[in-house]
DNA sequence: GCGGATCACTTACCG
DNA sequence: ACCGGTAAGTGATCCGCG
């Protein structure tokens, strides 16, 4: 029989020394199914070196007598530019693959192995060219449900899956959950914590809450498990569920003698690659991981993510350190409202990202939960591996390569000052297009020791690396398809209102494709990449520098004054006619498309590169690189700088800017400004003991650690600076442990507000000393007496 | 032993 | 666990100084 379904998840099982691929799907008529494919065997390739003391035949016979090897077959493959004869070694299980590779390495013979480090489910998806989150039809035979498997029906797959041409989503059931834990000693630890509250919101509008009433949290956890099994979600939606929530729940359950059987095989969640928690048969999505894709969100909490995605619902916020206090005081209602708002917001967040994430998974071909968790480099690599497989290119195994820096992009020194009417001319996807145009790729690179006529290669400027003009390399093929995908998304984008959440999601999606295309260059220079070839990255950067310097020459020859430039853009005095002429000339001479992306009414440059602010025609400000857009400055300083910028760019003069700054400073000294505006947020990028200097946020993290909290790598530490003697690090306090009255206001004025404001005002000739003097003056009426004195 | 100059470390940004 | 280029603050260290 033939069935049609949407592929949700994939995993593998080894039964009686044989591999089974398990495909979890959703059918059109809302049934959950499991398809078992017993036809797939894990495999790897061996290429025998020319200098190998052992012949290919000897190696084949050695492999054939290794336990678990099914077959060895010599296949004609490609390895970079060369045609090679590779032994395809098909094994019974991943374990037998491992065994073979170990034997080969012991032989001390010159062989290269390929694909031995791909997990079976990954190899299956690549081998069969299947992308998760898409529709497929399958020839199947219904079988009885395997033991403990919780689906409507199970099948054995008889023939390879065939893709079905439809893009809609099936009726996905999603369950969002929020967990509140109580630990008298700080961060919830399995030994001392108890789960006191779990809120659950479902895609059909359901809501439930389980509150701890007894001695321990046994019942709460059991109620949650029962609810999950009863609702039977396809997707579990959580926040920080990978890093903390699910591990905590699992361990608590274990300690209580319970099993957190929330998957579809009556097993328990298990941590797999990249710290992701797998729940077999379902997709476990941690919305915290999504936040990483949105660079606009500085402090990546649920509230900010929801806000960014246009979620209307209010997300209540309680600092982590307050939760134990509330529970101890019996303020369950507060906690319950807080948790409910989070679960429901999570559901909303999921709704607004469902389309985006599934498209991403399908486009890259990675399972949904991995694609969200994985770093950009792995997404690029996955995409490349699928392409390689299609064209018979061997996928290299990951190797350890030492770090090798190289020269990157060119950045011009900006012309300091306030400029009128400035156009920014951007190259459209410069690096990808350079790679396409000059066919720069690992499989087109010609090493220096090879003899080849000059007319057959493109030679990179400065560095001299050579790349075959023909045939097209991997990067050219892959990038062309990505750029096309982006264009089609952008066409859809134009049909959607610009202020709708849908617009933002589509926009994010096209950005992901763009990021993926742009990351291909970064991938090429990443030492961890399977296809790391330094000359590829080096050549692309060199061509980039060539292109931008030629572009500057063209601009200047046309009489356009270049004010600034960075990597793939030039800033020029705007002149409609000249700019048009310029774009044409660049395209003609360099073969790359350049376009005026924005025209600023006014633009301010300090002497620093990568930092400027411009006034757009619609009256809004575009601020780049300055403190306003940085997440590690106190809000109060950012506000001050933004105000000053607005006044200056809108031409209201430096006196007005200084006046507004004075107002702001006095609002600091009078304690009118809200406490949150004084918090400085900095990321803990290493574990605490790895730091070589005692930075303020690290000292604060240490103090948190002392009182039982466990700040972990990646956490944003929020601190304020309080009155007192000594170094800054001695005056930094966790924001939850200080109040307005403790703040060292002079620090904020002299080290936050004034430097940020001076950065801008110095362009207009105001020095920090002058500003300090002016701002420090007594301003405005303070008392009745002052008031009358001023008027007289 | 002190205080400014310089270096090193750290974070976050740009494209 | 994507690249190099860049700014900027704070801590750590250097160095002259009778």
């Amino acid at each position: 029989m033939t069935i049609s379904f949407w592929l949700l998840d994939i995993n593998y099982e080894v039964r009686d020394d044989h591999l089974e691929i398990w495909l979890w799907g959703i059918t059109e008529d809302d049934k959950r199914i499991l398809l078992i494919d017993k036809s797939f065997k894990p495999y790897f390739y061996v290429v025998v070196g020319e200098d190998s003391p052992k012949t290919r035949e000897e190696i084949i016979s050695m492999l054939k007598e290794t336990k678990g090897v099914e077959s060895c077959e010599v296949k004609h493959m490609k390895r970079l530019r060369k045609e090679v004869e590779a032994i395809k070694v098909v094994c019974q299980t991943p374990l037998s693959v491992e065994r073979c590779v170990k034997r080969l390495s012991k032989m001390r013979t010159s062989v290269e192995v390929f694909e031995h480090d791909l997990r079976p489910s990954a190899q299956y998806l690549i081998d069969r060219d299947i992308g998760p989150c898409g529709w497929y039809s399958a020839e199947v035979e219904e079988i009885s449900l395997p033991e403990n498997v919780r689906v409507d029906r199970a099948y054995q797959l008889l023939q390879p899956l065939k893709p079905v041409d439809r893009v809609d989503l099936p009726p996905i059931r999603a369950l969002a959950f929020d967990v509140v834990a109580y630990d008298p000693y700080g961060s919830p630890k399995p030994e001392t914590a108890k789960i006191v509250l779990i809120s659950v919101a479902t895609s059909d509008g359901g809501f439930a809450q389980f509150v701890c009433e007894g001695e321990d949290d046994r019942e709460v956890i059991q109620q949650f498990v029962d609810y999950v099994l009863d609702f039977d979600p396809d997707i579990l939606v959580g926040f920080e569920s990978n890093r903390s929530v699910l591990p905590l729940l699992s361990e608590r359950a274990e300690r209580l003698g319970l099993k957190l059987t929330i998957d579809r095989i009556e097993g328990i969640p298990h941590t797999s690659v990249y710290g992701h928690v797998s729940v077999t048969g379902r997709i476990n999505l941690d919305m915290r991981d999504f936040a990483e894709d949105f660079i606009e969100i500085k402090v990546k909490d649920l509230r900010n993510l929801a806000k960014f995605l246009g979620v209307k619902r209010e997300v209540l916020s309680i600092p982590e350190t307050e939760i134990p206090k509330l529970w101890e005081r019996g303020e369950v209602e507060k906690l319950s409202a807080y948790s409910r708002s989070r679960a429901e917001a999570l559901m909303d967040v999921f709704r607004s990202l469902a389309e985006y994430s599934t498209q991403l998974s399908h486009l890259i071909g990675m399972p949904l939960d991995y694609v969200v968790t994985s770093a950009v480099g792995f997404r690029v690599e996955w995409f490349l591996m699928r392409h390689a497989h299609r064209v018979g290119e061997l996928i290299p195994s990951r190797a350890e390569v030492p770090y090798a820096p190289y020269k990157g992009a060119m950045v011009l020194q900006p012309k300091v000052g306030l400029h009128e009417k400035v156009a920014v001319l951007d190259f459209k996807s410069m690096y990808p297009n350079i790679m396409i145009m000059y066919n720069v790729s690992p499989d087109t690179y010609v090493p220096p020791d090879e003899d080849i006529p000059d007319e057959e290669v493109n030679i990179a400027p400065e560095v001299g690396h050579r790349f075959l003009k023909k045939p097209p390399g991997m990067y050219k093929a892959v990038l062309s398809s990505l750029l096309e995908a982006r264009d089609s998304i952008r066409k859809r984008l134009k049909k959607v209102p610009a202020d709708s959440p849908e617009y933002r999601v589509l926009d994010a999606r096209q950005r992901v494709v763009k990021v993926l295309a742009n990351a291909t260059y970064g991938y090429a220079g990443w030492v961890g990449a399977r296809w790391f070839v330094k000359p590829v990255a080096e050549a692309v950067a060199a061509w980039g520098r060539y292109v931008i310097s030629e572009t500057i020459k063209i601009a200047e020859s046309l009489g356009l004054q270049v004010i600034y430039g960075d990597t793939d853009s030039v800033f020029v005095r705007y002149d409609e006619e000249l700019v048009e002429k310029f774009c044409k000339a660049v395209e003609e001479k360099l073969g790359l498309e350049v376009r005026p992306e924005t025209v600023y009414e006014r633009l301010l440059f300090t002497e620093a590169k990568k930092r400027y602010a411009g006034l757009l025609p619609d009256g809004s400000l575009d601020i780049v690189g300055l403190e306003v857009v940085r997440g590690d400055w106190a809000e109060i300083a950012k506000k001050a700088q933004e105000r000053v910028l607005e006044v200056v760019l809108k031409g209201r003069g430096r006196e007005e800017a200084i006046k507004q700054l004075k107002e702001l400073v006095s609002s600091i000294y009078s304690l009118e400004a809200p406490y949150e505006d004084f918090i400085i947020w900095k990321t803990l990028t290493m574990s605490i003991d790895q730091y070589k200097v005692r930075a303020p946020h690290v000292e604060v993290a240490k103090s948190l650690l002392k009182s039982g909290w466990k700040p972990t790598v990646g956490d944003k530490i929020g601190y304020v600076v309080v009155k007192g003697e000594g170094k800054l690090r001695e005056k930094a306090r966790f924001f939850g442990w200080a109040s307005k009255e403790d703040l060292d206001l002079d620090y904020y004025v002299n080290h936050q507000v004034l430097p940020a404001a001076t950065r801008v005002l110095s362009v207009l000739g105001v020095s920090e000393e002058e500003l300090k003097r002016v701002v420090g003056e007594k301003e405005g009426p303070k008392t009745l007496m002052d008031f009358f004195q001023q008027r007289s």
Side-chain angles (χ1 to χ4, degrees), chain A residues 767-780:
Chain A
S767 73
E768 180 151 7
E769 293 72 51
E770 188 185 346
L771 214 53
K772 257 185 197 165
R773 210 168 48 239
V774 178
V775 168
E777 279 168 14
K778 221 177 171 194
E779 83 300 317

Side-chain angles (χ1 to χ4, degrees), chain A residues 288-301:
Chain A
R288 165 65 218 245
D289 293 329
F290 272 98
E292 296 297 326
D293 271 5
F294 304 116
I295 50 162
E296 294 90 341
I297 308 175
K298 303 292 178 197
V299 177
K300 297 181 192 302
D301 57 16

